[in-house]
Amino acid sequence: MDVAERTRVTPASLLHGGADAALVPAAPATDRERMVLNLFFEEQDDRWFPGDRHIRPLLRRMLLGKPWISGQRRVLLNLCAGLDRIGVRYRVNDYRYIRKHPEELACIIGRPFVLDWFAWKNPLLLGVAMFDHPVQAPERLKDLQTKAVLVPCTWYADMFRPYWPNVEAWPVGIETDLWTPTPAERKSVDVLLYDKVRWEHDRYETELIGPIRRHLEAEGRTVEVIRYGHYKEDDYKAALARCRSMVFLCEHESQGIACQQALSSGVPVFAWDRGGPWRDPEYFPHKVRYEGGVSSVPYFDERCGVTFTDADGFVSDWSEFWSRASAGAFAPRDYVMDNLTLENCALHYYEIAQAAMQRHAR
């Protein structure tokens, strides 16, 4: 799908590949010296006939209503929103333009099958939603002009670097003007239990999730549960507005956007951060063994909350966390405002793209 250059893209337009995005005037003269970014994002390949990837989401929306926004799509939406704010122009999925300009950088954010659609001659900036691990990458990637590979956090970059030298950590920004704190007097629930346990869920329901919930209820705490992949974004936002704290359960995170949305909303987090090796069952232990600094909260400090490693650690440290949360001793939004705003992260992305082209010019 060919999409004209623009400086502002709405989430609604990008949900269907950008076809309905409004055209807007060119940026002011002061911005014309900046490089225009060529962004490419696709969640789906064609399945039955050429171009059906554009039709299937429309049919699903008609049948099932507003779709759940995936983490990869959220990366594109928030990057574009940040670029809008700092005045950097970009094109989205303009394949016709990029074919005619092989000297320009192509920033491929989405799935790797985009690399198969034609013979890319451009220098490439890949990520952050391309490959879970370099062992997954096809051999032909070596023949492309890959100038940098982006992953969402430092521990993930460390895992990639033995395979690829030009790997950088880049987190997408959080919409801090959307995810805002609710006054304490309007809170009605003590704990939001966010369940993002992806593997062996039955096991962890017995070993972790169930014991945590029972401990909270035995203490008289009110608990609301939300499970990853089973809610709409508006439901999550409303839950954060009701809840005074959040218990975040996930084996590991490369960024943890949902957790950071909670932090931006002023909700302190008690996070399961078990450490140990990267245990994605598609890779561990038969393909990849990486044991360096894996975390479920790679963007987190003492302002955000507290971490624990297992059910026993939860029980022993919960009272202190709750006491501090009740006293307003945490400042989670401050952490996000210092590190993860749309503007700061979009500027970081632009600087990485600039550096990639400078390497290409040498």
Side-chain angles (χ1 to χ4, degrees):
M1 180 177 293
D2 299 313
V3 182
E5 179 184 321
R6 54 188 174 269
T7 62
R8 188 169 301 278
V9 176
T10 63
S13 68
L14 284 175
L15 285 174
H16 306 300
D20 351 348
L23 299 179
V24 299
T30 53
D31 284 337
R32 285 181 183 149
E33 295 179 1
R34 287 182 166 181
M35 177 172 64
V36 177
L37 297 178
N38 298 294
L39 307 178
F40 296 89
F41 174 83
E42 303 283 354
E43 281 190 307
Q44 303 179 61
D45 203 354
D46 293 330
R47 185 178 298 172
W48 300 306
F49 55 85
D52 78 345
R53 67 185 183 277
H54 304 304
I55 300 172
R56 297 200 314 270
L58 296 173
L59 294 175
R60 276 197 300 274
R61 187 181 180 92
M62 292 172 59
L63 295 172
L64 303 175
K66 185 179 178 180
W68 177 73
I69 297 177
S70 70
Q72 288 105 343
R73 186 174 294 279
R74 176 53 59 198
V75 168
L76 177 68
L77 295 176
N78 286 17
L79 172 59
C80 290
L83 293 172
D84 291 338
R85 294 189 181 197
I86 63 173
V88 170
R89 293 180 296 161
Y90 53 89
R91 306 176 187 90
V92 178
N93 291 349
D94 196 338
Y95 296 100
R96 181 180 302 166
Y97 177 88
I98 207 68
R99 283 190 185 99
K100 293 178 179 178
H101 295 274
E103 75 284 357
E104 292 196 19
L105 184 71
C107 306
I108 303 179
I109 298 168
R111 301 294 190 179
F113 51 71
V114 175
L115 296 172
D116 296 327
W117 288 1
F118 62 91
W120 292 84
K121 304 298 184 182
N122 308 75
L124 301 177
L125 174 60
L126 303 182
V128 292
M130 289 290 289
F131 301 103
D132 292 333
H133 192 276
V135 299
Q136 178 190 19
E139 281 294 315
R140 60 183 167 70
L141 192 63
K142 298 176 181 177
D143 299 326
L144 300 175
Q145 298 186 69
T146 303
K147 299 305 172 183
V149 176
L150 301 184
V151 295
C153 71
T154 299
W155 76 257
Y156 224 87
D158 291 342
M159 183 170 69
F160 272 49
R161 284 196 182 102
Y163 301 82
W164 292 337
N166 295 321
V167 177
E168 299 193 44
W170 174 75
V172 71
I174 303 300
E175 296 170 291
T176 54
D177 54 352
L178 176 64
W179 300 89
T180 56
T182 300
E185 61 270 17
R186 289 170 53 189
K187 301 280 188 175
S188 58
V189 179
D190 292 329
V191 183
L192 177 60
L193 182 60
Y194 190 104
D195 176 2
K196 195 182 176 180
V197 176
R198 290 167 289 188
W199 307 300
E200 298 183 283
H201 194 275
D202 290 345
R203 170 192 166 188
Y204 283 106
E205 176 65 41
T206 300
E207 295 182 5
L208 186 72
I209 304 167
I212 285 174
R213 186 167 185 173
R214 288 191 293 273
H215 181 80
L216 293 172
E217 292 171 346
E219 275 203 353
R221 304 274 73 86
T222 51
V223 180
E224 182 172 343
V225 179
I226 197 163
R227 187 169 177 187
Y228 176 77
H230 296 267
Y231 66 85
K232 295 181 179 179
E233 199 169 68
D234 289 344
D235 299 331
Y236 180 47
K237 191 172 187 299
L240 289 171
R242 289 189 293 271
C243 295
R244 300 179 179 93
S245 67
M246 186 167 87
V247 173
F248 182 66
L249 304 179
C250 183
E251 297 92 338
H252 59 71
E253 281 282 20
S254 54
Q255 176 165 348
I257 291 174
C259 183
Q260 291 153 17
Q261 289 168 338
L263 299 177
S264 179
S265 302
V267 177
V269 172
F270 197 29
W272 178 40
D273 195 20
R274 69 178 182 182
W278 184 56
R279 294 181 182 271
D280 187 324
E282 185 175 343
Y283 301 93
F284 178 83
H286 53 294
K287 293 181 181 178
V288 176
R289 285 182 174 270
Y290 175 76
E291 302 190 26
V294 173
S295 177
S296 63
V297 281
Y299 294 95
F300 203 82
D301 69 12
E302 65 280 355
R303 292 173 288 179
C304 302
V306 177
T307 63
F308 64 95
T309 57
D310 54 25
D312 289 341
F314 178 91
V315 171
S316 64
D317 293 342
W318 164 257
S319 293
E320 180 182 354
F321 168 79
W322 177 249
S323 176
R324 293 176 63 191
S326 300
F330 297 110
R333 184 173 171 85
D334 289 353
Y335 175 84
V336 176
M337 297 302 293
D338 287 346
N339 297 281
L340 295 167
T341 64
L342 292 175
E343 296 90 340
N344 286 343
C345 294
L347 180 59
H348 185 195
Y349 186 92
Y350 179 77
E351 290 169 345
I352 291 171
Q354 272 192 318
M357 284 305 289
Q358 288 168 2
R359 285 195 296 270
H360 179 64
R362 290 172 188 162

